Amino acid sequence: MDTKLKLRIENWRGRTGVAFQYFTSPLKTGTPKEQDDRLHLVFMMASAGILKGDNFSYEITCRKDTRTTITEQSYTKIFDTGKDGAKKHMEIELEDHASLFYRPGAVIPFGGSCYSSSMNVRLSSRSEFLYSDILSAGRIGMGEKFAFSHYRNYVCVMVDDRMVWIDHCCLEPEKMNLEEMVFWDGYTHQGTLYFYGTKEKQERLLSYAKPVPVLMGKTKAAEGICIRVLANSAQDIEEIFDEAERDILQTGDRLRG
């Protein structure tokens, strides 16, 4: 099934709101809510998960002087798709002084699933962007650790038409020993958080200390900060990313420029 979502966020008299939205089944958006001077949106899917042959396409535009947080209703389950697989592609654009925090739920690839996703992000040097991704090794309780056939997630971030960060996660359990130290090192969940914003906020993120016992690393990209986490539950990673987001917001809402 081909599924599309288009969303445009604009500033109306100092308040952030949804100017345009379009989506097809099974995607939909929840009622927008304003909290702490940010617009909060929830993406929902009226189906059990991603199925064989599904093809998702997202287009999100945040106009100047907007502040938005987007989350998802629940974890994303990728069912056994066979060789046909499923795909997802996103295009995100932020104008001057736009802030977007995109925090989707964890992804759970079932045994036999084949999934490929990509995301292109175009930022202004005077914008702010936070993105997180959490991936489970599978349905651990069902004995399906690394039982999927293929998982790929590609993210490219551009600032003023200059590439500043690329993340390409490609996992094929039949060809890779994902239990090794250079991969997941025995853990069951992997998390990635990327942030681009003011120097002050990036420095605060670099000084952030992990609140729970996990394996975590931080690094500077060409522009922005990346955090990697290995843990044994999605909740542990979510707690880290929630705290990191709060740390960023505590520095104030000033953007570049």
Side-chain angles (χ1 to χ4, degrees):
M1 175 183 293
D2 288 335
T3 302
K4 296 183 179 181
L5 182 146
K6 295 183 179 181
L7 180 68
R8 188 173 74 248
I9 307 296
E10 294 186 2
N11 182 300
W12 290 328
R13 298 180 180 178
R15 299 180 63 181
T16 301
V18 177
F20 173 82
Q21 64 176 335
Y22 167 84
F23 48 82
T24 60
S25 180
L27 286 176
K28 60 181 181 178
T29 61
T31 302
K33 296 181 179 180
E34 194 173 16
Q35 180 181 346
D36 301 326
D37 293 325
R38 297 185 70 88
L39 181 72
H40 289 253
L41 277 172
V42 178
F43 288 169
M44 299 181 289
M45 189 160 63
S47 71
I50 295 177
L51 306 173
K52 172 183 176 181
D54 280 351
N55 186 12
F56 294 86
S57 175
Y58 292 64
E59 293 181 22
I60 301 172
T61 302
C62 296
R63 294 285 172 83
K64 61 185 299 185
D65 300 317
T66 56
R67 289 165 171 78
T68 311
T69 296
I70 297 176
T71 57
E72 292 182 351
Q73 184 182 28
S74 62
Y75 291 177
T76 297
K77 300 174 182 177
I78 306 173
F79 292 99
D80 183 352
T81 62
K83 294 182 179 179
D84 290 343
K87 297 180 180 180
K88 178 181 177 181
H89 179 70
M90 298 188 69
E91 294 284 342
I92 297 176
E93 182 175 2
L94 272 64
E95 295 183 355
D96 284 354
H97 304 290
S99 171
L100 173 63
F101 290 5
Y102 179 46
R103 299 282 310 279
V107 176
I108 306 173
F110 285 28
S113 64
C114 180
Y115 179 71
S116 178
S117 66
S118 58
M119 181 168 72
N120 294 323
V121 183
R122 297 183 299 278
L123 305 178
S124 158
S125 60
R126 293 175 293 276
S127 63
E128 178 179 77
F129 178 66
L130 182 145
Y131 162 74
S132 67
D133 172 72
I134 300 174
L135 174 65
S136 169
R139 292 192 298 175
I140 309 302
M142 300 293 290
E144 287 189 357
K145 187 177 183 181
F146 299 126
F148 56 90
S149 61
H150 178 86
Y151 176 87
R152 175 181 179 268
N153 185 41
Y154 173 85
V155 183
C156 177
V157 177
M158 310 278 290
V159 175
D160 289 344
D161 297 322
R162 183 171 71 94
M163 189 180 299
V164 298
W165 185 66
I166 288 181
D167 184 52
H168 189 188
C169 175
C170 185
L171 303 176
E172 296 182 309
E174 291 184 357
K175 300 178 181 179
M176 306 169 178
N177 185 358
L178 298 179
E179 297 283 4
E180 288 186 346
M181 183 174 65
V182 293
F183 289 103
W184 288 45
D185 197 19
Y187 290 92
T188 60
H189 292 73
Q190 171 187 276
T192 301
L193 182 143
Y194 172 81
F195 174 73
Y196 173 82
T198 64
K199 182 179 179 180
E200 180 184 8
K201 292 182 178 181
Q202 290 181 176
E203 288 178 348
R204 186 176 182 93
L205 190 58
L206 275 176
S207 64
Y208 167 73
K210 59 186 179 183
V212 292
V214 299
L215 185 63
M216 183 174 78
K218 295 172 286 185
T219 185
K220 290 184 178 180
E223 293 280 355
I225 305 297
C226 177
I227 296 178
R228 303 278 195 190
V229 181
L230 288 172
N232 285 315
S233 76
Q235 183 177 350
D236 284 345
I237 301 177
E238 287 171 347
E239 289 177 2
I240 292 173
F241 291 170
D242 287 346
E243 185 64 30
E245 180 180 330
R246 284 193 291 269
D247 267 13
I248 291 170
L249 291 174
Q250 284 175 4
T251 64
D253 219 14
R254 179 177 59 84
L255 302 183
R256 293 173 182 261

PDB file of all heavy atoms in Angstrom, residues 101-138:
ATOM      1  N   PHE A 101      11.791  19.073  16.881  1.00  0.00           N
ATOM      2  CA  PHE A 101      12.251  17.887  17.597  1.00  0.00           C
ATOM      3  C   PHE A 101      11.416  16.716  17.083  1.00  0.00           C
ATOM      4  O   PHE A 101      10.203  16.673  17.313  1.00  0.00           O
ATOM      5  CB  PHE A 101      12.064  18.035  19.111  1.00  0.00           C
ATOM      6  CG  PHE A 101      12.984  19.036  19.757  1.00  0.00           C
ATOM      7  CD1 PHE A 101      13.848  19.823  19.011  1.00  0.00           C
ATOM      8  CD2 PHE A 101      12.988  19.201  21.134  1.00  0.00           C
ATOM      9  CE1 PHE A 101      14.697  20.750  19.612  1.00  0.00           C
ATOM     10  CE2 PHE A 101      13.828  20.112  21.754  1.00  0.00           C
ATOM     11  CZ  PHE A 101      14.681  20.895  20.988  1.00  0.00           C
ATOM     12  N   TYR A 102      12.058  15.785  16.389  1.00  0.00           N
ATOM     13  CA  TYR A 102      11.351  14.626  15.842  1.00  0.00           C
ATOM     14  C   TYR A 102      11.776  13.388  16.617  1.00  0.00           C
ATOM     15  O   TYR A 102      12.916  12.940  16.502  1.00  0.00           O
ATOM     16  CB  TYR A 102      11.656  14.481  14.346  1.00  0.00           C
ATOM     17  CG  TYR A 102      10.982  13.283  13.700  1.00  0.00           C
ATOM     18  CD1 TYR A 102       9.646  13.001  13.938  1.00  0.00           C
ATOM     19  CD2 TYR A 102      11.700  12.434  12.849  1.00  0.00           C
ATOM     20  CE1 TYR A 102       9.028  11.910  13.353  1.00  0.00           C
ATOM     21  CE2 TYR A 102      11.087  11.339  12.253  1.00  0.00           C
ATOM     22  CZ  TYR A 102       9.752  11.079  12.512  1.00  0.00           C
ATOM     23  OH  TYR A 102       9.149   9.990  11.950  1.00  0.00           O
ATOM     24  N   ARG A 103      10.854  12.828  17.422  1.00  0.00           N
ATOM     25  CA  ARG A 103      11.153  11.727  18.322  1.00  0.00           C
ATOM     26  C   ARG A 103      10.214  10.548  18.043  1.00  0.00           C
ATOM     27  O   ARG A 103       9.259  10.293  18.784  1.00  0.00           O
ATOM     28  CB  ARG A 103      10.991  12.189  19.779  1.00  0.00           C
ATOM     29  CG  ARG A 103      11.896  13.319  20.239  1.00  0.00           C
ATOM     30  CD  ARG A 103      13.287  12.840  20.547  1.00  0.00           C
ATOM     31  NE  ARG A 103      13.282  11.685  21.422  1.00  0.00           N
ATOM     32  CZ  ARG A 103      13.143  11.731  22.759  1.00  0.00           C
ATOM     33  NH1 ARG A 103      13.000  12.892  23.364  1.00  0.00           N
ATOM     34  NH2 ARG A 103      13.164  10.627  23.480  1.00  0.00           N
ATOM     35  N   PRO A 104      10.428   9.798  16.965  1.00  0.00           N
ATOM     36  CA  PRO A 104       9.571   8.642  16.685  1.00  0.00           C
ATOM     37  C   PRO A 104       9.783   7.533  17.710  1.00  0.00           C
ATOM     38  O   PRO A 104      10.796   7.501  18.417  1.00  0.00           O
ATOM     39  CB  PRO A 104      10.015   8.203  15.290  1.00  0.00           C
ATOM     40  CG  PRO A 104      11.427   8.684  15.176  1.00  0.00           C
ATOM     41  CD  PRO A 104      11.484   9.966  15.957  1.00  0.00           C
ATOM     42  N   GLY A 105       8.828   6.607  17.773  1.00  0.00           N
ATOM     43  CA  GLY A 105       8.932   5.487  18.691  1.00  0.00           C
ATOM     44  C   GLY A 105       9.941   4.460  18.207  1.00  0.00           C
ATOM     45  O   GLY A 105      10.426   4.504  17.077  1.00  0.00           O
ATOM     46  N   ALA A 106      10.249   3.515  19.084  1.00  0.00           N
ATOM     47  CA  ALA A 106      11.203   2.458  18.739  1.00  0.00           C
ATOM     48  C   ALA A 106      10.658   1.583  17.614  1.00  0.00           C
ATOM     49  O   ALA A 106       9.445   1.423  17.445  1.00  0.00           O
ATOM     50  CB  ALA A 106      11.497   1.606  19.969  1.00  0.00           C
ATOM     51  N   VAL A 107      11.578   1.028  16.838  1.00  0.00           N
ATOM     52  CA  VAL A 107      11.231   0.139  15.723  1.00  0.00           C
ATOM     53  C   VAL A 107      11.529  -1.301  16.134  1.00  0.00           C
ATOM     54  O   VAL A 107      12.621  -1.601  16.644  1.00  0.00           O
ATOM     55  CB  VAL A 107      12.030   0.505  14.455  1.00  0.00           C
ATOM     56  CG1 VAL A 107      11.737  -0.487  13.332  1.00  0.00           C
ATOM     57  CG2 VAL A 107      11.687   1.925  14.010  1.00  0.00           C
ATOM     58  N   ILE A 108      10.561  -2.198  15.902  1.00  0.00           N
ATOM     59  CA  ILE A 108      10.727  -3.610  16.247  1.00  0.00           C
ATOM     60  C   ILE A 108      10.582  -4.440  14.973  1.00  0.00           C
ATOM     61  O   ILE A 108       9.466  -4.634  14.478  1.00  0.00           O
ATOM     62  CB  ILE A 108       9.688  -4.070  17.276  1.00  0.00           C
ATOM     63  CG1 ILE A 108       9.718  -3.167  18.512  1.00  0.00           C
ATOM     64  CG2 ILE A 108       9.935  -5.525  17.679  1.00  0.00           C
ATOM     65  CD1 ILE A 108       8.613  -3.456  19.512  1.00  0.00           C
ATOM     66  N   PRO A 109      11.676  -4.938  14.400  1.00  0.00           N
ATOM     67  CA  PRO A 109      11.583  -5.775  13.200  1.00  0.00           C
ATOM     68  C   PRO A 109      11.312  -7.239  13.572  1.00  0.00           C
ATOM     69  O   PRO A 109      12.085  -7.861  14.290  1.00  0.00           O
ATOM     70  CB  PRO A 109      12.966  -5.608  12.554  1.00  0.00           C
ATOM     71  CG  PRO A 109      13.888  -5.259  13.677  1.00  0.00           C
ATOM     72  CD  PRO A 109      13.076  -4.625  14.758  1.00  0.00           C
ATOM     73  N   PHE A 110      10.201  -7.771  13.084  1.00  0.00           N
ATOM     74  CA  PHE A 110       9.847  -9.163  13.361  1.00  0.00           C
ATOM     75  C   PHE A 110      10.707 -10.104  12.510  1.00  0.00           C
ATOM     76  O   PHE A 110      11.348  -9.687  11.554  1.00  0.00           O
ATOM     77  CB  PHE A 110       8.370  -9.408  13.047  1.00  0.00           C
ATOM     78  CG  PHE A 110       7.417  -8.851  14.060  1.00  0.00           C
ATOM     79  CD1 PHE A 110       7.734  -7.741  14.835  1.00  0.00           C
ATOM     80  CD2 PHE A 110       6.177  -9.434  14.255  1.00  0.00           C
ATOM     81  CE1 PHE A 110       6.850  -7.226  15.775  1.00  0.00           C
ATOM     82  CE2 PHE A 110       5.280  -8.934  15.185  1.00  0.00           C
ATOM     83  CZ  PHE A 110       5.611  -7.829  15.944  1.00  0.00           C
ATOM     84  N   GLY A 111      10.680 -11.381  12.868  1.00  0.00           N
ATOM     85  CA  GLY A 111      11.406 -12.385  12.109  1.00  0.00           C
ATOM     86  C   GLY A 111      10.965 -12.406  10.654  1.00  0.00           C
ATOM     87  O   GLY A 111       9.766 -12.367  10.359  1.00  0.00           O
ATOM     88  N   GLY A 112      11.926 -12.430   9.732  1.00  0.00           N
ATOM     89  CA  GLY A 112      11.619 -12.475   8.309  1.00  0.00           C
ATOM     90  C   GLY A 112      11.335 -11.133   7.680  1.00  0.00           C
ATOM     91  O   GLY A 112      11.046 -11.056   6.479  1.00  0.00           O
ATOM     92  N   SER A 113      11.416 -10.042   8.452  1.00  0.00           N
ATOM     93  CA  SER A 113      11.101  -8.720   7.899  1.00  0.00           C
ATOM     94  C   SER A 113      12.277  -8.159   7.103  1.00  0.00           C
ATOM     95  O   SER A 113      13.438  -8.427   7.387  1.00  0.00           O
ATOM     96  CB  SER A 113      10.716  -7.747   9.012  1.00  0.00           C
ATOM     97  OG  SER A 113      11.806  -7.530   9.892  1.00  0.00           O
ATOM     98  N   CYS A 114      11.924  -7.370   6.100  1.00  0.00           N
ATOM     99  CA  CYS A 114      12.906  -6.688   5.243  1.00  0.00           C
ATOM    100  C   CYS A 114      12.427  -5.246   5.095  1.00  0.00           C
ATOM    101  O   CYS A 114      11.351  -5.000   4.544  1.00  0.00           O
ATOM    102  CB  CYS A 114      12.987  -7.384   3.888  1.00  0.00           C
ATOM    103  SG  CYS A 114      14.177  -6.641   2.742  1.00  0.00           S
ATOM    104  N   TYR A 115      13.221  -4.296   5.592  1.00  0.00           N
ATOM    105  CA  TYR A 115      12.747  -2.920   5.694  1.00  0.00           C
ATOM    106  C   TYR A 115      13.853  -1.949   5.333  1.00  0.00           C
ATOM    107  O   TYR A 115      15.014  -2.126   5.715  1.00  0.00           O
ATOM    108  CB  TYR A 115      12.275  -2.652   7.121  1.00  0.00           C
ATOM    109  CG  TYR A 115      11.787  -1.253   7.387  1.00  0.00           C
ATOM    110  CD1 TYR A 115      10.586  -0.800   6.857  1.00  0.00           C
ATOM    111  CD2 TYR A 115      12.520  -0.391   8.203  1.00  0.00           C
ATOM    112  CE1 TYR A 115      10.126   0.485   7.122  1.00  0.00           C
ATOM    113  CE2 TYR A 115      12.062   0.896   8.475  1.00  0.00           C
ATOM    114  CZ  TYR A 115      10.869   1.328   7.932  1.00  0.00           C
ATOM    115  OH  TYR A 115      10.408   2.596   8.194  1.00  0.00           O
ATOM    116  N   SER A 116      13.487  -0.893   4.598  1.00  0.00           N
ATOM    117  CA  SER A 116      14.450   0.129   4.198  1.00  0.00           C
ATOM    118  C   SER A 116      13.810   1.504   4.367  1.00  0.00           C
ATOM    119  O   SER A 116      12.704   1.744   3.881  1.00  0.00           O
ATOM    120  CB  SER A 116      14.862  -0.073   2.739  1.00  0.00           C
ATOM    121  OG  SER A 116      15.767   0.931   2.324  1.00  0.00           O
ATOM    122  N   SER A 117      14.502   2.398   5.073  1.00  0.00           N
ATOM    123  CA  SER A 117      13.991   3.751   5.257  1.00  0.00           C
ATOM    124  C   SER A 117      15.094   4.769   4.969  1.00  0.00           C
ATOM    125  O   SER A 117      16.284   4.476   5.097  1.00  0.00           O
ATOM    126  CB  SER A 117      13.468   3.954   6.688  1.00  0.00           C
ATOM    127  OG  SER A 117      14.516   3.877   7.623  1.00  0.00           O
ATOM    128  N   SER A 118      14.680   5.970   4.566  1.00  0.00           N
ATOM    129  CA  SER A 118      15.635   7.041   4.284  1.00  0.00           C
ATOM    130  C   SER A 118      15.006   8.366   4.678  1.00  0.00           C
ATOM    131  O   SER A 118      13.785   8.536   4.645  1.00  0.00           O
ATOM    132  CB  SER A 118      16.034   7.059   2.811  1.00  0.00           C
ATOM    133  OG  SER A 118      14.902   7.222   1.970  1.00  0.00           O
ATOM    134  N   MET A 119      15.862   9.326   5.044  1.00  0.00           N
ATOM    135  CA  MET A 119      15.379  10.639   5.450  1.00  0.00           C
ATOM    136  C   MET A 119      16.381  11.707   5.024  1.00  0.00           C
ATOM    137  O   MET A 119      17.565  11.615   5.337  1.00  0.00           O
ATOM    138  CB  MET A 119      15.178  10.691   6.968  1.00  0.00           C
ATOM    139  CG  MET A 119      14.639  12.035   7.472  1.00  0.00           C
ATOM    140  SD  MET A 119      14.068  11.981   9.199  1.00  0.00           S
ATOM    141  CE  MET A 119      15.637  11.879  10.046  1.00  0.00           C
ATOM    142  N   ASN A 120      15.905  12.699   4.288  1.00  0.00           N
ATOM    143  CA  ASN A 120      16.712  13.852   3.898  1.00  0.00           C
ATOM    144  C   ASN A 120      16.227  15.069   4.669  1.00  0.00           C
ATOM    145  O   ASN A 120      15.028  15.385   4.656  1.00  0.00           O
ATOM    146  CB  ASN A 120      16.592  14.115   2.395  1.00  0.00           C
ATOM    147  CG  ASN A 120      17.201  13.006   1.564  1.00  0.00           C
ATOM    148  OD1 ASN A 120      18.221  12.430   1.923  1.00  0.00           O
ATOM    149  ND2 ASN A 120      16.572  12.698   0.436  1.00  0.00           N
ATOM    150  N   VAL A 121      17.145  15.750   5.352  1.00  0.00           N
ATOM    151  CA  VAL A 121      16.801  16.900   6.168  1.00  0.00           C
ATOM    152  C   VAL A 121      17.561  18.115   5.658  1.00  0.00           C
ATOM    153  O   VAL A 121      18.794  18.081   5.543  1.00  0.00           O
ATOM    154  CB  VAL A 121      17.154  16.655   7.651  1.00  0.00           C
ATOM    155  CG1 VAL A 121      16.712  17.840   8.507  1.00  0.00           C
ATOM    156  CG2 VAL A 121      16.510  15.359   8.147  1.00  0.00           C
ATOM    157  N   ARG A 122      16.846  19.194   5.353  1.00  0.00           N
ATOM    158  CA  ARG A 122      17.455  20.437   4.888  1.00  0.00           C
ATOM    159  C   ARG A 122      17.207  21.526   5.926  1.00  0.00           C
ATOM    160  O   ARG A 122      16.060  21.900   6.173  1.00  0.00           O
ATOM    161  CB  ARG A 122      16.882  20.837   3.524  1.00  0.00           C
ATOM    162  CG  ARG A 122      17.188  19.835   2.410  1.00  0.00           C
ATOM    163  CD  ARG A 122      16.667  20.303   1.059  1.00  0.00           C
ATOM    164  NE  ARG A 122      15.218  20.460   1.064  1.00  0.00           N
ATOM    165  CZ  ARG A 122      14.371  19.444   0.897  1.00  0.00           C
ATOM    166  NH1 ARG A 122      14.834  18.214   0.731  1.00  0.00           N
ATOM    167  NH2 ARG A 122      13.064  19.665   0.898  1.00  0.00           N
ATOM    168  N   LEU A 123      18.302  22.009   6.514  1.00  0.00           N
ATOM    169  CA  LEU A 123      18.213  22.995   7.581  1.00  0.00           C
ATOM    170  C   LEU A 123      18.760  24.341   7.137  1.00  0.00           C
ATOM    171  O   LEU A 123      19.634  24.411   6.274  1.00  0.00           O
ATOM    172  CB  LEU A 123      19.008  22.528   8.807  1.00  0.00           C
ATOM    173  CG  LEU A 123      18.672  21.157   9.400  1.00  0.00           C
ATOM    174  CD1 LEU A 123      19.592  20.859  10.569  1.00  0.00           C
ATOM    175  CD2 LEU A 123      17.216  21.097   9.830  1.00  0.00           C
ATOM    176  N   SER A 124      18.268  25.389   7.765  1.00  0.00           N
ATOM    177  CA  SER A 124      18.907  26.699   7.698  1.00  0.00           C
ATOM    178  C   SER A 124      19.944  26.749   8.808  1.00  0.00           C
ATOM    179  O   SER A 124      19.791  26.107   9.852  1.00  0.00           O
ATOM    180  CB  SER A 124      17.864  27.802   7.899  1.00  0.00           C
ATOM    181  OG  SER A 124      18.485  29.004   8.327  1.00  0.00           O
ATOM    182  N   SER A 125      21.011  27.520   8.614  1.00  0.00           N
ATOM    183  CA  SER A 125      22.023  27.650   9.657  1.00  0.00           C
ATOM    184  C   SER A 125      21.445  28.308  10.913  1.00  0.00           C
ATOM    185  O   SER A 125      22.028  28.223  11.991  1.00  0.00           O
ATOM    186  CB  SER A 125      23.215  28.472   9.148  1.00  0.00           C
ATOM    187  OG  SER A 125      22.796  29.766   8.761  1.00  0.00           O
ATOM    188  N   ARG A 126      20.288  28.927  10.792  1.00  0.00           N
ATOM    189  CA  ARG A 126      19.631  29.571  11.925  1.00  0.00           C
ATOM    190  C   ARG A 126      18.405  28.792  12.395  1.00  0.00           C
ATOM    191  O   ARG A 126      17.456  29.350  12.950  1.00  0.00           O
ATOM    192  CB  ARG A 126      19.244  31.012  11.556  1.00  0.00           C
ATOM    193  CG  ARG A 126      20.442  31.927  11.348  1.00  0.00           C
ATOM    194  CD  ARG A 126      20.048  33.311  10.879  1.00  0.00           C
ATOM    195  NE  ARG A 126      19.489  33.274   9.531  1.00  0.00           N
ATOM    196  CZ  ARG A 126      20.219  33.291   8.426  1.00  0.00           C
ATOM    197  NH1 ARG A 126      21.542  33.316   8.514  1.00  0.00           N
ATOM    198  NH2 ARG A 126      19.656  33.267   7.233  1.00  0.00           N
ATOM    199  N   SER A 127      18.428  27.487  12.171  1.00  0.00           N
ATOM    200  CA  SER A 127      17.339  26.635  12.633  1.00  0.00           C
ATOM    201  C   SER A 127      17.855  25.681  13.713  1.00  0.00           C
ATOM    202  O   SER A 127      19.040  25.700  14.073  1.00  0.00           O
ATOM    203  CB  SER A 127      16.731  25.854  11.464  1.00  0.00           C
ATOM    204  OG  SER A 127      17.694  24.978  10.889  1.00  0.00           O
ATOM    205  N   GLU A 128      16.956  24.839  14.219  1.00  0.00           N
ATOM    206  CA  GLU A 128      17.303  23.899  15.288  1.00  0.00           C
ATOM    207  C   GLU A 128      16.594  22.572  15.008  1.00  0.00           C
ATOM    208  O   GLU A 128      15.398  22.539  14.704  1.00  0.00           O
ATOM    209  CB  GLU A 128      16.854  24.468  16.636  1.00  0.00           C
ATOM    210  CG  GLU A 128      17.115  23.560  17.827  1.00  0.00           C
ATOM    211  CD  GLU A 128      16.670  24.221  19.124  1.00  0.00           C
ATOM    212  OE1 GLU A 128      15.441  24.248  19.388  1.00  0.00           O
ATOM    213  OE2 GLU A 128      17.551  24.727  19.853  1.00  0.00           O
ATOM    214  N   PHE A 129      17.342  21.467  15.131  1.00  0.00           N
ATOM    215  CA  PHE A 129      16.772  20.162  14.782  1.00  0.00           C
ATOM    216  C   PHE A 129      17.279  19.098  15.736  1.00  0.00           C
ATOM    217  O   PHE A 129      18.484  19.004  15.995  1.00  0.00           O
ATOM    218  CB  PHE A 129      17.162  19.800  13.341  1.00  0.00           C
ATOM    219  CG  PHE A 129      16.667  18.452  12.886  1.00  0.00           C
ATOM    220  CD1 PHE A 129      15.313  18.217  12.737  1.00  0.00           C
ATOM    221  CD2 PHE A 129      17.566  17.432  12.583  1.00  0.00           C
ATOM    222  CE1 PHE A 129      14.849  16.979  12.304  1.00  0.00           C
ATOM    223  CE2 PHE A 129      17.113  16.199  12.142  1.00  0.00           C
ATOM    224  CZ  PHE A 129      15.750  15.967  12.005  1.00  0.00           C
ATOM    225  N   LEU A 130      16.356  18.305  16.260  1.00  0.00           N
ATOM    226  CA  LEU A 130      16.702  17.145  17.081  1.00  0.00           C
ATOM    227  C   LEU A 130      15.979  15.927  16.525  1.00  0.00           C
ATOM    228  O   LEU A 130      14.777  15.978  16.239  1.00  0.00           O
ATOM    229  CB  LEU A 130      16.313  17.377  18.535  1.00  0.00           C
ATOM    230  CG  LEU A 130      16.669  16.244  19.513  1.00  0.00           C
ATOM    231  CD1 LEU A 130      17.063  16.816  20.874  1.00  0.00           C
ATOM    232  CD2 LEU A 130      15.508  15.254  19.708  1.00  0.00           C
ATOM    233  N   TYR A 131      16.717  14.838  16.371  1.00  0.00           N
ATOM    234  CA  TYR A 131      16.158  13.597  15.827  1.00  0.00           C
ATOM    235  C   TYR A 131      16.661  12.423  16.647  1.00  0.00           C
ATOM    236  O   TYR A 131      17.840  12.373  17.026  1.00  0.00           O
ATOM    237  CB  TYR A 131      16.568  13.428  14.363  1.00  0.00           C
ATOM    238  CG  TYR A 131      16.431  12.014  13.836  1.00  0.00           C
ATOM    239  CD1 TYR A 131      15.176  11.479  13.556  1.00  0.00           C
ATOM    240  CD2 TYR A 131      17.559  11.218  13.613  1.00  0.00           C
ATOM    241  CE1 TYR A 131      15.053  10.175  13.071  1.00  0.00           C
ATOM    242  CE2 TYR A 131      17.433   9.926  13.122  1.00  0.00           C
ATOM    243  CZ  TYR A 131      16.185   9.410  12.851  1.00  0.00           C
ATOM    244  OH  TYR A 131      16.058   8.121  12.385  1.00  0.00           O
ATOM    245  N   SER A 132      15.773  11.485  16.946  1.00  0.00           N
ATOM    246  CA  SER A 132      16.197  10.276  17.643  1.00  0.00           C
ATOM    247  C   SER A 132      15.644   9.045  16.947  1.00  0.00           C
ATOM    248  O   SER A 132      14.604   9.098  16.275  1.00  0.00           O
ATOM    249  CB  SER A 132      15.740  10.297  19.105  1.00  0.00           C
ATOM    250  OG  SER A 132      14.326  10.206  19.205  1.00  0.00           O
ATOM    251  N   ASP A 133      16.375   7.958  17.105  1.00  0.00           N
ATOM    252  CA  ASP A 133      15.993   6.688  16.486  1.00  0.00           C
ATOM    253  C   ASP A 133      16.354   5.572  17.462  1.00  0.00           C
ATOM    254  O   ASP A 133      17.477   5.535  17.981  1.00  0.00           O
ATOM    255  CB  ASP A 133      16.728   6.505  15.157  1.00  0.00           C
ATOM    256  CG  ASP A 133      16.527   5.118  14.570  1.00  0.00           C
ATOM    257  OD1 ASP A 133      15.421   4.824  14.102  1.00  0.00           O
ATOM    258  OD2 ASP A 133      17.490   4.309  14.590  1.00  0.00           O
ATOM    259  N   ILE A 134      15.419   4.666  17.723  1.00  0.00           N
ATOM    260  CA  ILE A 134      15.665   3.518  18.593  1.00  0.00           C
ATOM    261  C   ILE A 134      15.280   2.253  17.845  1.00  0.00           C
ATOM    262  O   ILE A 134      14.173   2.145  17.315  1.00  0.00           O
ATOM    263  CB  ILE A 134      14.859   3.621  19.900  1.00  0.00           C
ATOM    264  CG1 ILE A 134      15.244   4.888  20.659  1.00  0.00           C
ATOM    265  CG2 ILE A 134      15.099   2.396  20.779  1.00  0.00           C
ATOM    266  CD1 ILE A 134      14.394   5.136  21.901  1.00  0.00           C
ATOM    267  N   LEU A 135      16.189   1.302  17.808  1.00  0.00           N
ATOM    268  CA  LEU A 135      15.964   0.050  17.089  1.00  0.00           C
ATOM    269  C   LEU A 135      16.136  -1.133  18.030  1.00  0.00           C
ATOM    270  O   LEU A 135      17.143  -1.246  18.721  1.00  0.00           O
ATOM    271  CB  LEU A 135      16.949  -0.077  15.918  1.00  0.00           C
ATOM    272  CG  LEU A 135      16.920  -1.411  15.145  1.00  0.00           C
ATOM    273  CD1 LEU A 135      15.574  -1.589  14.441  1.00  0.00           C
ATOM    274  CD2 LEU A 135      18.062  -1.473  14.143  1.00  0.00           C
ATOM    275  N   SER A 136      15.140  -2.001  18.031  1.00  0.00           N
ATOM    276  CA  SER A 136      15.225  -3.247  18.793  1.00  0.00           C
ATOM    277  C   SER A 136      15.830  -4.335  17.916  1.00  0.00           C
ATOM    278  O   SER A 136      15.698  -4.314  16.689  1.00  0.00           O
ATOM    279  CB  SER A 136      13.827  -3.669  19.258  1.00  0.00           C
ATOM    280  OG  SER A 136      13.850  -4.986  19.779  1.00  0.00           O
ATOM    281  N   ALA A 137      16.483  -5.305  18.549  1.00  0.00           N
ATOM    282  CA  ALA A 137      17.045  -6.438  17.803  1.00  0.00           C
ATOM    283  C   ALA A 137      15.951  -7.391  17.333  1.00  0.00           C
ATOM    284  O   ALA A 137      16.227  -8.343  16.599  1.00  0.00           O
ATOM    285  CB  ALA A 137      18.046  -7.200  18.673  1.00  0.00           C
ATOM    286  N   GLY A 138      14.719  -7.129  17.712  1.00  0.00           N
ATOM    287  CA  GLY A 138      13.590  -7.968  17.313  1.00  0.00           C
ATOM    288  C   GLY A 138      12.661  -8.222  18.484  1.00  0.00           C
ATOM    289  O   GLY A 138      12.739  -7.555  19.517  1.00  0.00           O
TER     290      GLY A 138
END
